[in-house]
């Protein structure tokens, strides 16, 4: 399910209900930045969240929640 097609940005509660990992596009939407900006941050190890590479780069949802919640 591609949550990036939702009307408006996702809320923190929306993000909390997401699966364990999400695409870079979905994470970027939640952060309010472009997909290419987030890819650049990941590539330079400056992204303030955790990722895994399983064929493509996936963002660990719990790290996204912590960032959005201000816990990091």
């Amino acid at each position: 399910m591609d949550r990036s097609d939702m009307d408006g940005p996702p809320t923190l509660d929306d993000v909390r209900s997401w699966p364990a990992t999400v695409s870079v596009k979905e994470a970027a939407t939640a952060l309010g930045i472009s997909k290419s900006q987030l890819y650049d941050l990941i590539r330079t190890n400056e992204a303030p969240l955790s990722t895994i590479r399983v064929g493509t780069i996936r963002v660990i949802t719990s790290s996204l929640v912590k960032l959005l919640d201000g816990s990091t």
Side-chain angles (χ1 to χ4, degrees), residues 1-68:
M1 170 195 255
D2 188 359
R3 288 158 296 282
S4 62
D5 293 333
M6 297 183 330
D7 292 332
T11 65
L12 182 55
D13 284 336
D14 291 334
V15 176
R16 283 186 173 119
S17 72
W18 288 359
T21 66
V22 294
S23 69
V24 171
K25 179 179 178 181
E26 291 165 326
T29 299
L31 293 170
I33 63 175
S34 72
K35 178 176 75 170
S36 62
Q37 286 176 306
L38 186 50
Y39 271 118
D40 285 344
L41 290 170
I42 292 167
R43 181 180 49 77
T44 59
N45 293 320
E46 295 178 46
L49 38 74
S50 300
T51 60
I52 58 171
R53 192 176 302 266
V54 286
T56 60
I57 298 172
R58 303 287 295 175
V59 175
I60 307 294
T61 304
S62 62
S63 71
L64 182 57
V65 168
K66 286 179 187 173
L67 177 62
L68 293 172

